[in-house]
Amino acid sequence: MVVVAVLVAVTVVALLAGVHWYVWRRLVRDTTRPRGLARRAGTVAVCVLPLLSVGALVSGRAGAPFWLEQVLAWPGYLWLAVLLYLTLALLLGEAIRPLLHRVLRAREARGAAVSGGPAGADRTAAPAASGDLRDTVRQASFAGGGASAADGPPPAAPAGSAADEAHGGAPDTSGTPGPEAAAAAAGSGAQPVPESRSRAGGGESVAATAGSAAAVAAVPGGAGAKATSCTAGDSGEQPAAEASAGGGVPAGDGEPAPRPADRGGGGVSRRVFVSRIIGGGAVAASLGTVGYGTYGVLRGPRVKRVTVPLGKLPRSAQGFRIAVVSDIHLGPVLGRAHTQRIVDAVNAVSPDLIAIVGDLVDGSVADLGPAAEPLARLESRHGAFFVTGNHEYFSGADQWVDHVRELGIRPLQNERAEIAGFDLAGVNDIAGESEGEGPDFAKALGDRDPARASVLLAHQPVVIHDAVEHGVDLQLSGHTHGGQLWPGNYLAELANPTLAGLERYGDTQLYVTRGAGAWGPPVRVGASSDITVVSLAARQA
């Protein structure tokens, strides 16, 4: 048994670690810059929040002070709810991600077709920029060679001219690119940069001075990068500016710099742009879902009404109303104010009888006794009754049974009470079996008059088969919370014969309420809290 518990614990820890790594990867790593403030803050949050959740879960049973439980409970439990819906939203985003990439690529292709350039090319510079760049470079080269800009560029001597032959040299073609060079320049999209000539002492030299390089570097935008590639091409080196913009050379952090085709808006790569859209949508959806679910719990349960016909119920008990309250879960999150909301809702319907069917608290009488005090103001013609739930046995069931009795509520511990028209029985929760206080149906129902209608209070729906065997007409239960957090309802449905509502098992009917509170995260999604008013109907009527 210990080995199974350890394996389950290791599996749960591994699953939580994997989920947190996935959330960090998609929500932090894929959307932020390396070593940036946002990435550091996101990493710290992903590490700290699960620790708060673990603290919230174990602090009560570890005997931590109640104030510490309250400090850990709100962020720790709420993070569990946010994590659930954040993970679901990110998984949904995996299906949307390739569609967004396809849409952005199509938009870039349309934009390239309109501008006449290839898809993904840098279109920030106007076509006229190339001509302006050549003029700037030519003027700078003249200045470097000793010529004044005001004098204008000297006419270039044609190849094989008499001036060249007068110096006894071969025709100089260094200023005119050959066919191969022109083709290379055309293929790379670069413009050839003319070089200035200066004659000094009867000699001719080609001046490619530092002044021309400075002029080229001073030209902003993509045109400047192209000019630089031309000047650097002679040495066989590719400048960093052009390499990072078009060549995909790895950046300093080891990640390849995005190509222009991968650019989204504002210079952000398409990959980061899409990740931010999906991550932002996932955060908004999860926070909105959890926020609305929290509001539903803190607002208080809504009253639900259902009519249940009982064949053995006499006419005198026609319309007898039972207010069914379950799973209040007073604790470090839900306290006295929550109890008062429930009392107000119950008293507003003026029921004939009040049935509290377990899981009243998550803590000791010493810590939560004041939070339960408003229950003493419950009002009904035939009083209020209480049966234990599984959480009472985690919180000191005997002490709570005594305290509930002090509040004027009658506990039914494997016993019954005769009400006008029917028998009301109650059994302990099956969690009490570990303490020798489990349900005893024979004691609660064994010696009653079978001709009278019977209503059984039992916290968990799973005991319905025992109720059928003992001829119970109606069982009232809670425990399931209706799943509380979608899609948890599918798991809860596997573990319980009825998730919520009214169903029939043989001659016995079972009604399960979703409960008036919440366990763990004070959040409900797809399973709103309720107080059910069950109206008994006589078939004879």
Side-chain angles (χ1 to χ4, degrees):
M1 193 66 181
V2 176
V3 175
V4 174
V6 171
L7 290 176
V8 170
V10 170
T11 302
V12 171
V13 170
L15 179 62
L16 288 176
V19 169
H20 280 85
W21 176 85
Y22 171 73
V23 169
W24 174 85
R25 176 190 172 194
R26 283 306 192 197
L27 203 59
V28 179
R29 192 196 71 175
D30 290 354
T31 62
T32 58
R33 292 179 301 174
R35 295 179 295 277
L37 179 61
R39 177 168 294 190
R40 293 178 180 178
T43 302
V44 170
V46 172
C47 293
V48 171
L49 287 172
L51 297 179
L52 293 176
S53 299
V54 173
L57 290 169
V58 304
S59 59
R61 299 188 184 183
F66 189 65
W67 66 265
L68 181 58
E69 294 181 49
Q70 292 177 305
V71 169
L72 295 174
W74 274 103
Y77 284 135
L78 284 177
W79 170 244
L80 291 177
V82 171
L83 178 65
L84 171 62
Y85 293 107
L86 189 58
T87 303
L88 293 176
L90 289 174
L91 290 174
L92 179 62
E94 299 297 343
I96 301 175
R97 190 180 303 271
L99 299 179
L100 285 178
H101 278 290
R102 185 177 301 176
V103 169
L104 291 176
R105 281 194 297 266
R107 187 177 67 176
E108 291 170 0
R110 288 195 300 269
V114 171
S115 63
D122 188 359
R123 297 186 295 274
T124 58
S130 299
D132 298 339
L133 176 64
R134 287 195 297 272
D135 294 340
T136 303
V137 172
R138 186 180 296 113
Q139 293 175 9
S141 63
F142 292 151
S148 172
D151 297 337
S161 64
D164 292 327
E165 295 174 358
H167 291 283
D172 185 5
T173 61
S174 61
T176 304
E180 297 82 355
S188 63
Q191 299 292 339
V193 181
E195 298 172 344
S196 61
R197 300 178 182 178
S198 62
R199 305 177 184 274
E204 181 180 59
S205 64
V206 179
T209 64
S212 63
V216 173
V219 179
K226 293 180 180 179
T228 306
S229 67
C230 295
T231 58
D234 295 336
S235 63
E237 297 177 357
Q238 186 181 24
E242 184 178 4
S244 62
V249 175
D253 59 356
E255 298 180 0
R259 299 177 62 84
D262 296 331
R263 293 286 179 184
V268 177
S269 71
R270 185 193 304 136
R271 179 183 62 81
V272 174
F273 182 68
V274 170
S275 296
R276 288 180 178 178
I277 289 179
I278 295 175
V283 169
S286 59
L287 292 181
T289 301
V290 172
Y292 183 76
T294 304
Y295 166 75
V297 172
L298 299 182
R299 175 195 60 200
R302 297 297 178 89
V303 175
K304 183 178 180 180
R305 300 175 187 271
V306 61
T307 299
V308 180
L310 298 180
K312 300 176 183 178
L313 191 71
R315 282 173 170 261
S316 60
Q318 169 69 21
F320 192 97
R321 292 173 302 148
I322 303 174
V324 183
V325 185
S326 180
D327 301 280
I328 298 176
H329 285 287
L330 299 178
V333 174
L334 300 177
R336 187 185 182 97
H338 183 65
T339 309
Q340 188 61 56
R341 286 190 291 266
I342 293 172
V343 170
D344 293 341
V346 170
N347 290 344
V349 300
S350 300
D352 297 309
L353 184 146
I354 300 169
I356 303 174
V357 289
D359 280 6
L360 171 63
V361 293
D362 285 306
S364 66
V365 173
D367 292 331
L368 298 175
E373 285 179 358
L375 294 175
R377 293 189 287 273
L378 287 171
E379 299 175 357
S380 66
R381 283 199 304 146
H382 294 276
F385 295 83
F386 169 78
V387 294
T388 57
N390 55 309
H391 281 250
E392 270 72 55
Y393 292 97
F394 306 147
S395 308
D398 292 337
Q399 290 82 1
W400 274 111
V401 166
D402 293 339
H403 188 68
V404 163
R405 187 177 286 110
E406 293 173 0
L407 295 175
I409 301 171
R410 178 179 174 181
L412 293 177
Q413 295 182 285
N414 297 324
E415 55 186 312
R416 72 175 181 274
E418 291 187 0
I419 308 297
F422 65 94
D423 293 334
L424 180 69
V427 293
N428 295 340
D429 186 72
I430 57 178
E433 293 176 348
S434 61
E435 301 180 13
E437 299 178 358
D440 189 337
F441 290 88
K443 182 179 178 181
L445 299 163
D447 57 350
R448 72 179 191 87
D449 183 1
R452 288 172 57 87
S454 59
V455 177
L456 174 68
L457 307 184
H459 177 63
Q460 298 196 39
V462 294
V463 300
I464 181 62
H465 303 295
D466 295 292
V468 172
E469 292 179 3
H470 288 83
V472 172
D473 296 294
L474 172 64
Q475 175 179 321
L476 301 176
S477 298
H479 182 67
T480 68
H481 295 210
Q484 184 168 330
L485 295 172
W486 182 91
N489 55 304
Y490 297 110
L491 296 177
E493 197 168 10
L494 294 176
N496 296 276
T498 297
L499 181 66
L502 182 66
E503 290 187 355
R504 176 177 289 274
Y505 294 83
D507 294 331
T508 303
Q509 297 181 80
L510 169 64
Y511 181 80
V512 180
T513 175
R514 291 190 176 98
W519 179 80
V523 183
R524 281 179 174 264
V525 177
S528 59
S529 57
D530 68 65
I531 295 170
T532 303
V533 177
V534 176
S535 296
L536 303 182
R539 291 188 184 276
Q540 299 174 359

